[in-house]
Every structure is written in C-alpha cells, then in structure tokens.
Amino acid sequence: MQNTCLQTVKTKQRPMRVKESKARIVFLIINTTFLCLFAVSSLLPFCNLLALSFSSKEAADANLVWFVPVGFTLDAYRLLITKVQFFRSFGISVARVVLGTVISLAVVTFGAYPLSREGGVFRGRMVYTVFFMITMFFSGGFIPTYILISKLKLMNNILALVLPTAMNAWNMVLLINFFRRVPQEMIESAKIEGAGHYTILFKFMLPVSLPALATVMLFTAVGHWNNWFDGLMYMDSKYMPLQSYIYHMINEQSGTGNNVVTNPEEAAMMSNITIKTLQSAQIFIAILPVLPLYLFAQKYFIKGLMLGSVKE
C-alpha cells in the first residue's frame, strides 16, 4: 500500500510537458537552421586556409583549392620549422600574452574594486569614473604615444607592448558592474569580523567573480595575441611578436616573392609550394593557440557578459 502511494505521488510530481504551438515550432526550425548555416559559413574560411597550406604550388596558383588539399604536401610547414625567427616571434607573443594579461587583470581589478563601492566609501568616485570613461572615446594619439615610449626607452622592450593597454576602461566597467552584484550583506559581515579591503577583495569579491575575470582574461589575451600594429612601430624585426612578424613577412614576400629562400634546402621546398601556401600555413599556426581559450572559457565568457553587463 505504501509503495502504491509513493508511486502515485511520483506520478503526480512529474512535470507537465507544454505543447509547442505551430508558430513556435516553425520559429525553432528556422532559427536553428540559420544558426547552423552561420556557424558553417564561419568555419569555411578556416577550412580553406588549412587546405591551402597543405596544397601544391600548381593547385594554389591555379586557384583549384577549396576545402580539400590538392596535391598534398607538408613542405610549407617543413619550411616554417627551419625559420628560427618564426618561433622566436611565437615565443615573444606567448610572453606578451601572459605578461600583458596578468598586468591588465591586476590594474583593472584594483581600479574596479574602489569604484564599485557605493555609499561614500570612496570619495570622488564619480570623478574618477568619468575620467576613465573618457578614455573609451578619446586617446592621446599615436604620435604622442610613440614619443612617450621612446622617451621612456622602451623601444624593443616587451613592456612597450603591454603597458599602454594595461588599463582597459571597458573591462573595468564590466568588473565594476559585476562587483556591485555581490551582496552587500556579505561585505558588511566581513567588515564586522575585522576584514580590510584587501581581505574583502581577495577572499570574497574575486572568488565569486570568476565568470567576469575569465571574460576579461579572454578579451585581454586575444587582444594581445592579435595585435600587430604596435609590434611594427616599437620593435625591430627580430623582436617582433608573431602577428607583426607575419604581417611584415607577407608584405616582403608579396613584394619580392623570394625573400623566404636562404639556402638550397629551402629552395627545394619552395619548388613545390607558393608564397600563398606559405602565408596560409603561417596564418593558420598563428590562430591555432587562440582557439582553446574560447573552448575552455566559453561558459565563463557567456555568464560573465550576462551578469556583468546589467546592474539591478
């Protein structure tokens, strides 16, 4: 009897399935189809780039390569392995991303925490907030920045690539809005227990703000990895980060067509590939390290944007 009653209760507790209307079903089909087509169209350029990097010289010159390699060859990647400067630039980019992300996270976090405290905790808070907001719309300009970097003797120094972009006002606004969502009661309880601002920040605010921190980290890391202009301006060719080096090499290769050949072995490899194939291999290797960041930080990225962009 008891088992029968339990089964009856479980049956009654089953959630009712809401029947979708025909209009809703049509919308879901159209929306899903459109998003799938959009996702496929976003992947096609990468597929073409990868196929081109594995294709032979004749197929690339004749524009016969679409999404499958034609005349499969690994000579483009073998040639890149012999390029010491390519891997040196790769290492400089990795160091730039790590150093730049750490510095930017520290600067943005220490700027966002006091500006997020309301109720007269930080006097002049609105003045500083407006000051930082202005930098989202206006900058000092390229020439003054170049003169400043030069006067500080940071030319050919990795700090020239990370310090000018250490404070990002947009990322700071994201953290400010996220910090304001932390329950005030928790902060007051910590103060009653004798916690100072550093304790509140590191033991209370940051642990519950991991989605926002992951979002800022993703934006900052991708921005540093993809940035190429400052490397051209502040660095010599042997100190350039990867994106700047690739831009520099593509311009040289497009202008002369044979700058990449320095010895007979490289000349033999170049006989089966073209400049377009080598450039495709360089670009594909350059974008490859960024993809795992999106895969690992996707859930934090979406949650951070949703929670940090709107304040109750």
Side-chain angles (χ1 to χ4, degrees), residues 238-269:
K238 63 180 180 178
Y239 299 114
M240 286 182 179
L242 185 59
Q243 303 296 342
S244 304
Y245 170 75
I246 290 177
Y247 180 87
H248 177 71
M249 288 298 297
I250 287 177
N251 283 344
E252 284 193 350
Q253 294 164 7
S254 300
T256 62
N258 54 13
N259 288 29
V260 293
V261 178
T262 57
N263 56 58
E265 294 181 0
E266 293 183 2
M269 294 180 187

Side-chain angles (χ1 to χ4, degrees), residues 27-308:
F27 168 77
L28 291 176
I29 293 175
I30 296 176
N31 190 47
T32 304
T33 304
F34 173 77
L35 292 177
C36 290
L37 292 175
F38 183 76
V40 171
S41 65
S42 301
L43 292 175
L44 290 181
F46 297 100
C47 295
N48 176 257
L49 191 72
L50 181 61
L52 191 60
S53 67
F54 287 115
S55 298
S56 64
K57 180 177 182 179
E58 293 77 13
D61 288 337
N63 294 323
L64 300 177
V65 183
W66 290 92
F67 308 115
V68 178
V70 179
F72 185 86
T73 178
L74 295 174
D75 285 345
Y77 292 94
R78 291 195 187 101
L79 184 59
L80 283 180
I81 293 176
T82 64
K83 292 291 181 182
V84 178
Q85 181 58 41
F86 181 86
F87 290 98
R88 181 185 292 118
S89 298
F90 190 95
I92 293 174
S93 285
V94 172
R96 173 187 181 171
V97 168
V98 174
L99 183 62
T101 302
V102 171
I103 292 177
S104 184
L105 276 177
V107 172
V108 170
T109 301
F110 284 116
Y113 172 72
L115 296 180
S116 66
R117 299 296 88 206
E118 298 177 342
V121 177
F122 179 45
R123 295 181 179 180
R125 180 174 60 86
M126 290 304 301
V127 176
Y128 287 99
T129 302
V130 172
F131 174 79
F132 286 116
M133 293 303 101
I134 292 176
T135 63
M136 297 177 63
F137 307 100
F138 304 98
S139 65
F142 169 70
I143 295 179
T145 304
Y146 183 87
I147 294 175
L148 178 63
I149 295 296
S150 179
K151 293 294 184 180
L152 292 175
K153 302 185 185 302
L154 294 179
M155 303 297 289
N156 295 322
N157 192 319
I158 195 173
L159 293 179
L161 305 177
V162 299
L163 292 183
T165 57
M167 168 53 72
N168 187 296
W170 195 93
N171 291 337
M172 188 176 68
V173 170
L174 184 67
L175 281 183
I176 288 174
N177 290 332
F178 204 97
F179 286 162
R180 287 176 180 174
R181 296 181 63 91
V182 177
Q184 189 64 28
E185 293 78 8
M186 185 177 69
I187 306 300
E188 295 299 331
S189 300
K191 289 182 179 179
I192 293 175
E193 295 295 331
H197 288 294
Y198 288 105
T199 303
I200 294 174
L201 175 61
F202 288 104
K203 292 189 177 181
F204 293 92
M205 304 291 283
L206 294 185
V208 300
S209 303
L210 290 180
L213 292 175
T215 303
V216 172
M217 182 193 71
L218 180 63
F219 284 158
T220 305
V222 173
H224 276 295
W225 183 265
N226 290 333
N227 201 346
W228 56 271
F229 184 73
D230 51 1
L232 291 176
M233 294 298 102
Y234 306 136
M235 300 291 182
D236 293 337
S237 58
K238 63 180 180 178
Y239 299 114
M240 286 182 179
L242 185 59
Q243 303 296 342
S244 304
Y245 170 75
I246 290 177
Y247 180 87
H248 177 71
M249 288 298 297
I250 287 177
N251 283 344
E252 284 193 350
Q253 294 164 7
S254 300
T256 62
N258 54 13
N259 288 29
V260 293
V261 178
T262 57
N263 56 58
E265 294 181 0
E266 293 183 2
M269 294 180 187
M270 284 297 299
S271 63
N272 197 35
I273 62 174
T274 183
I275 297 299
K276 187 186 299 184
T277 305
L278 182 61
Q279 292 172 358
S280 300
Q282 291 174 332
I283 296 173
F284 183 78
I285 293 177
I287 64 176
L288 199 58
V290 181
L291 298 180
L293 285 178
Y294 284 98
L295 296 178
F296 289 113
Q298 182 181 11
K299 60 179 181 179
Y300 297 109
F301 174 69
I302 297 175
K303 187 176 180 181
L305 284 181
M306 294 296 294
L307 295 179

